[in-house]
Every structure is written in C-alpha cells, then in structure tokens.
Amino acid sequence: MAFSDVQTGLDAVRLARIAQNLTALEADLDFVIKLTAAQRSKMYSIGNSRFSFVEKALRFAKQFPNLLPGFRNLTNFVRISNDYSSLLPVFDRVKTLYEKLDDTVMQIGGNYIDYSLTFYDNAKAARDGDEPGTEVICKELGSHFVRKNGKEVLAEEPETETETVNENGKTNGGNVQVLIPGNEQQNS
C-alpha cells in the first residue's frame, strides 16, 4: 500500500461536535427503517432504467387517476414520489461521505500497519544485535504472524460466521462487510 500521510486533526472537541452532529442527523432521519434480507430480496429497487418508468407512471396516473385501484390513491402516489425525490440527494451525499470516510479509515489503518511493521522489523534487527528488551517485543509482536511459503507474514483477521447481505438480498458466505446500497437494480 502506498503511504499517504492523512492527518485528521481530530481532537476531543471536534470528535464531540461530530458525535453531536451525527446524533442530530439520526434524529432528523427518524423515519429510516432496517429491512431484512428476505424483505430486500422480494422488493423492487429503482435503478436508472426504472426511474423513468416511475416518473412516467406518476405523470399518467395524474391524468388518469381512475386507473388506480381502490387500495391505492393518487395522493399517496405523489407523496411517495416526493419522499423519494427529496431523500435521494441526501442519500447520495451520505453515500459519498461514507465512501470517503471508508477510504480515509482504510488509508489510516494501512499507515498504522505500515508503521507497526517498520517498528517490528527494527525490533527484530535490534534483537539480532542483542539489544536488551527486544526479545519480549519480538515475541509479543511475532505472535501475530504466520509462516507462508517459508516467509513470515502478518496473519489475516479471523473470519466470522456472520453473513453480510448486500443490496440485492444476497449473502457473501461469511465475510463481514458494510455495504451501502446504490441505485443497483434487482428483480430484473
């Protein structure tokens, strides 16, 4: 991984402000729901091609409201359209922010590992030079490595049995990931 010295400048005051802003955002988004994998797998989603379909359907429903069955009404159709149109820019912005935050955390985490590996390599060299106290350091840090093809490599994090469900209701077989659904299509 290429080293990029990302510096957050986070201090206790800024972290508290971010936490407060996130709490306020969560309060403002008090209508959000959590779908189950089964619900997601049975639900249509609006992709680019379906967006023009729903816009046209609403336009025609406004001209011919009598074509809506009794359990559907034009008022709710318009409300759903407005809710979707209002929420989509917010979703896009949060998704973009999430992607940037994810990349930043990944880069900083990579830097953290890089510094740690450099320290470990230097501790091993110091141990080989009989530097006092380095044997304990090497033993502790070395417990996080495995041998692969005769080479010492940092062990992977243990996989968990928890399955992640993506935006299409499909599972990934056990790797834990956070997925933010985009405008992907399903039930095509």
Side-chain angles (χ1 to χ4, degrees), residues 120-121 124 138 141-142 145-148 150-154:
Y120 179 55
D121 287 343
K124 289 189 302 185
C138 291
L141 295 179
F145 287 79
V146 295
R147 289 245 172 239
K148 285 188 180 177
K151 187 176 181 181
E152 185 181 55
V153 294
L154 191 58

Side-chain angles (χ1 to χ4, degrees), residues 147-184:
R147 289 245 172 239
K148 285 188 180 177
N149 300 324
K151 187 176 181 181
E152 185 181 55
V153 294
L154 191 58
E156 295 294 321
E157 293 293 326
E159 289 189 16
T160 175
E161 295 302 315
T162 305
E163 289 187 337
T164 299
V165 178
N166 67 18
E167 64 276 0
N168 296 319
K170 305 227 184 312
T171 61
N172 68 351
N175 293 327
V176 174
Q177 299 175 0
V178 176
L179 297 175
I180 301 270
N183 291 332
E184 292 80 7

Side-chain angles (χ1 to χ4, degrees), residues 94-169:
V94 169
K95 187 170 106 172
T96 301
L97 179 61
Y98 168 81
E99 289 170 356
K100 290 178 183 179
L101 187 59
D102 187 48
D103 288 345
T104 303
V105 167
M106 180 175 276
Q107 180 65 59
I108 292 172
N111 294 350
Y112 200 10
I113 295 262
D114 187 53
Y115 264 74
S116 300
L117 289 170
T118 301
F119 176 80
Y120 179 55
D121 287 343
N122 288 339
K124 289 189 302 185
R127 177 196 61 200
D128 294 345
D130 293 327
E131 180 74 29
T134 55
E135 187 63 40
V136 171
I137 293 170
C138 291
K139 186 175 182 181
E140 285 287 322
L141 295 179
S143 69
H144 296 276
F145 287 79
V146 295
R147 289 245 172 239
K148 285 188 180 177
N149 300 324
K151 187 176 181 181
E152 185 181 55
V153 294
L154 191 58
E156 295 294 321
E157 293 293 326
E159 289 189 16
T160 175
E161 295 302 315
T162 305
E163 289 187 337
T164 299
V165 178
N166 67 18
E167 64 276 0
N168 296 319

Side-chain angles (χ1 to χ4, degrees), residues 6-169:
V6 177
Q7 297 180 23
T8 66
L10 292 174
D11 58 16
V13 172
R14 194 168 173 195
L15 284 170
R17 186 175 63 243
I18 291 168
Q20 190 174 34
N21 289 337
L22 289 172
T23 299
L25 179 61
E26 288 172 334
D28 283 340
L29 296 174
D30 61 348
F31 52 85
V32 298
I33 62 171
K34 172 74 174 129
L35 297 174
T36 66
Q39 289 168 322
R40 282 184 164 279
S41 69
K42 294 176 184 170
M43 188 174 295
Y44 289 109
S45 67
I46 297 181
N48 291 334
S49 63
R50 291 185 177 158
F51 189 69
S52 67
F53 167 75
V54 297
E55 283 185 319
K56 287 176 186 176
L58 178 59
R59 190 174 72 236
F60 286 127
K62 286 177 179 178
Q63 295 172 24
F64 302 96
N66 59 314
L67 296 179
L68 285 168
F71 61 92
R72 301 275 194 223
N73 65 58
L74 185 59
T75 302
N76 279 339
F77 201 170
V78 170
R79 179 193 51 81
I80 291 167
S81 172
N82 290 339
D83 285 348
Y84 184 82
S85 297
S86 298
L87 194 55
L88 193 59
V90 174
F91 174 74
D92 288 341
R93 198 162 166 197
V94 169
K95 187 170 106 172
T96 301
L97 179 61
Y98 168 81
E99 289 170 356
K100 290 178 183 179
L101 187 59
D102 187 48
D103 288 345
T104 303
V105 167
M106 180 175 276
Q107 180 65 59
I108 292 172
N111 294 350
Y112 200 10
I113 295 262
D114 187 53
Y115 264 74
S116 300
L117 289 170
T118 301
F119 176 80
Y120 179 55
D121 287 343
N122 288 339
K124 289 189 302 185
R127 177 196 61 200
D128 294 345
D130 293 327
E131 180 74 29
T134 55
E135 187 63 40
V136 171
I137 293 170
C138 291
K139 186 175 182 181
E140 285 287 322
L141 295 179
S143 69
H144 296 276
F145 287 79
V146 295
R147 289 245 172 239
K148 285 188 180 177
N149 300 324
K151 187 176 181 181
E152 185 181 55
V153 294
L154 191 58
E156 295 294 321
E157 293 293 326
E159 289 189 16
T160 175
E161 295 302 315
T162 305
E163 289 187 337
T164 299
V165 178
N166 67 18
E167 64 276 0
N168 296 319

